[in-house]
Amino acid sequence: MSTVRRAVVGLAVVSGLVLTACGPAEDDASSGGEGPTASTTESVKPSKPSKPTTPSASAGKGSPSGGDGSSPDPDYDVFPCSTFDVKFTATLAESTTSSYLLKITNKGTKACKVLGHPVVTFGDLDGQATERGEAPGIEDASRLEAGESAYAGLMGGVDDGTGETVDSIAMTMNTESDLEQTPLKVSTPGLYVSDKNSVTAWVGNAEDALSL
């Protein structure tokens, strides 16, 4: 074989070896084959924590605080005072006119509402004392806590010989219902009864009760 032919053959062999060595790398690159390259490695991003669920406005409905977050009416379960809830006293305030200070005290453990005027009757006589002045409505009635007291004034008149004298009175409470009550009786020696007797609404202090 001549020198030129041997050189051509050698060059062909070397070219084939070079193509063989480069071929797989190029195939991998063009075909997207897996390999330890940055382009095929995806970074894993941490997931964001889920936001806490906000309760809807309707979730509070039916709860003691009310659906709008407001407090309930503090008097929603406070009932009118009856004679079963209180003890009753009467103290002579003005002997000339036979005027008495009436007092009730909540003897229970729960609050009750004091409504309107006391209903006062005189011994065995028919009729009752007339109501003197206005009284607050049931929504504005005074709340009487356990141990607290309320007052009313029983106003009389000068003995003009047209009335009668009794030694006791009885009192029941205004409950704005048909609740049957046991009248509370107290002694009132020599109380003069005429058409001038009247009684004020329950108030929070003795001074106001006798000045209305």
Side-chain angles (χ1 to χ4, degrees):
M1 182 180 295
S2 65
T3 303
V4 173
R5 186 175 182 177
R6 286 197 298 269
V8 170
V9 171
L11 181 60
V13 171
V14 171
S15 298
L17 291 174
V18 171
L19 292 173
T20 302
C22 296
E26 293 174 354
D27 291 342
D28 289 342
S30 62
S31 62
E34 295 180 0
T37 62
S39 62
T40 59
T41 303
E42 297 181 359
S43 60
V44 179
K45 296 181 180 180
S47 60
K48 295 182 179 181
S50 60
K51 295 182 180 181
T53 303
T54 302
S56 62
S58 61
K61 291 183 179 180
S63 63
S65 60
D68 59 356
S70 61
S71 300
D73 179 0
D75 291 338
Y76 76 103
D77 61 347
V78 179
F79 297 98
C81 302
S82 74
T83 56
F84 301 107
D85 303 310
V86 300
K87 58 182 179 180
F88 173 56
T89 62
T91 305
L92 182 63
E94 220 305 306
S95 58
T96 304
T97 59
S98 292
S99 296
Y100 279 78
L101 175 66
L102 311 183
K103 176 183 176 182
I104 55 170
T105 303
N106 185 350
K107 65 180 182 180
T109 58
K110 296 182 178 180
C112 62
K113 284 185 177 180
V114 183
L115 304 184
H117 298 72
V119 179
V120 178
T121 56
F122 303 96
D124 296 329
L125 301 180
D126 294 331
Q128 64 190 50
T130 59
E131 294 181 354
R132 184 186 185 96
E134 297 294 327
I138 186 170
E139 293 184 357
D140 300 319
S142 299
R143 178 186 175 109
L144 197 64
E145 299 289 348
E148 289 185 344
S149 299
Y151 306 85
L154 176 61
M155 309 304 183
V158 178
D159 185 352
D160 58 4
T162 61
E164 298 185 53
T165 300
V166 297
D167 293 328
S168 67
I169 60 173
M171 186 277 298
T172 55
M173 301 291 295
N174 178 3
T175 63
E176 294 195 355
S177 71
D178 56 359
L179 174 68
E180 292 187 8
Q181 302 178 65
T182 301
L184 300 179
K185 296 182 179 181
V186 292
S187 175
T188 55
L191 172 61
Y192 185 71
V193 181
S194 70
D195 57 4
K196 295 182 177 61
N197 294 99
S198 61
V199 64
T200 68
W202 295 111
V203 293
N205 61 78
E207 290 76 11
D208 287 345
L210 293 171
S211 61
L212 294 176

